[in-house]
Amino acid sequence: QTIREYALEKLRQSGDLDQLRELHAGYYTQGSEEIMGQLYADNTVVILRLLEKDRDNFRAALSWSLESPERVGSGIMIAFRIFWFWYRFGHFHEGRDWCERLLQASSKMGQHPLRGMIFNTAAFMAMWEGDLKIAVDYAYQSLDIMRVNEQPEGLSMSMMTTGIVLLNRGEDDQARPLLEGAVQLSREPEALWPNGTGMIHLANVALGQGDID
C-alpha cells in the first residue's frame, strides 16, 4: 500500500474525502482560468511545464467533475482552458478522451454555452488526431450553439475553430468567411491571440487560393 492509498483510506474513514476532493477540484478549476491567460504569453514554455507537473491534479479534478451532472461544467472549463497544453505536449488521445467523456456527461445541457465550448474543444482534439470528419461535425455543433446564444466571444471562437477545421480538410472557400467573421468579432485590443490566429489561417487560405497579393 502506497502512502497516497493509505492517506485516501484515512480520509474516507474520517468522512472528509468528499469535501477535500471538492475543494481540490475548485482550486484547479480556478487555477485553469489563471493559467489560460498565460498560455499564449511570453512565458508559455514555463506555464506548460508547470501544467505537466500538475497533470495528475487536473486529471483528478476532471474525474470529480464527471461524477455528477452538477459538476460537469467545471470539467468543461478545465478542458477548454488547458487543451493547448494537450496539444503542445502531444497528449492528443488523453485530451480527446476527456472531451468525449465530457460531451457524454453534458448531453442534457441542450444549447448551453458550456456545451458549445466542449464541442469546440473536442473538435480541435479530433482534428489533431486526424479525424477530420468528426472534427467538422463537432465544430459545426459548437457554432450552432454559439449562434443561438449570441455571445460575440463564444461565436468568434467557434467560427475560428470551424474555419480552421475546414481549412485542414482543404475546404478553403468555406473556411474563409468563417475566419474573416471570427477576426471581425475579435477586434478588441486585448484579443491579440485570436486576431493573430485568424490572420495566420486567412493567409493560408489566400495562399491555397492563389491570392498572394
Side-chain angles (χ1 to χ4, degrees):
Q1 186 181 43
T2 65
I3 294 175
R4 183 176 184 276
E5 290 170 341
Y6 174 78
L8 286 173
E9 182 60 33
K10 288 297 182 183
L11 284 170
R12 288 191 189 93
Q13 292 174 3
S14 69
D16 294 332
L17 181 60
D18 289 343
Q19 182 181 5
L20 286 173
R21 289 186 69 212
E22 182 177 358
L23 290 171
H24 177 273
Y27 177 84
Y28 279 93
T29 302
Q30 182 178 349
S32 67
E33 181 177 10
E34 297 169 1
I35 285 168
M36 184 180 177
Q38 302 177 60
L39 273 176
Y40 313 105
D42 294 339
N43 59 338
T44 299
V45 174
V46 174
I47 299 301
L48 287 169
R49 287 173 179 165
L50 289 174
L51 277 169
E52 181 69 9
K53 290 181 180 179
D54 261 337
R55 191 175 172 192
D56 284 339
N57 283 311
F58 281 105
R59 285 170 171 165
L62 286 164
S63 293
W64 177 87
S65 77
L66 289 166
E67 293 176 7
S68 168
E70 291 77 22
R71 303 174 184 173
V72 70
S74 66
I76 290 173
M77 294 304 299
I78 291 173
F80 174 73
R81 291 164 178 167
I82 71 169
F83 82 94
W84 191 244
F85 157 73
W86 286 327
Y87 169 71
R88 290 292 297 271
F89 275 81
H91 301 316
F92 306 126
H93 184 72
E94 178 179 358
R96 187 175 182 183
D97 181 63
W98 284 118
C99 288
E100 294 291 345
R101 293 167 69 184
L102 288 163
L103 276 172
Q104 184 176 1
S106 63
S107 61
K108 295 182 179 179
M109 279 189 170
Q111 302 285 66
H112 195 285
L114 285 171
R115 180 79 168 159
M117 288 174 68
I118 194 58
F119 268 121
N120 185 85
T121 310
F124 270 117
M125 301 313 303
M127 182 184 74
W128 289 328
E129 281 209 311
D131 197 344
L132 295 177
K133 183 178 180 180
I134 294 294
V136 76
D137 177 62
Y138 285 167
Y140 273 121
Q141 290 196 64
S142 174
L143 186 57
D144 288 344
I145 291 171
M146 293 308 183
R147 280 173 170 161
V148 168
N149 284 277
E150 298 182 342
Q151 296 181 350
E153 185 177 356
L155 181 56
S156 173
M157 170 193 70
S158 291
M159 291 175 76
M160 181 87 69
T161 302
T162 308
I164 291 171
V165 173
L166 288 169
L167 179 59
N168 277 269
R169 282 168 57 95
E171 300 176 32
D172 295 12
D173 290 343
Q174 290 80 12
R176 187 166 199 158
L178 288 166
L179 293 169
E180 289 174 341
V183 170
Q184 190 62 37
L185 285 170
S186 301
R187 287 298 185 187
E188 295 82 2
E190 65 272 15
L192 295 177
W193 186 84
N195 272 324
T197 300
M199 295 304 294
I200 288 170
H201 285 90
L202 278 171
N204 287 330
V205 169
L207 184 63
Q209 293 179 331
D211 184 6
I212 60 175
D213 296 326

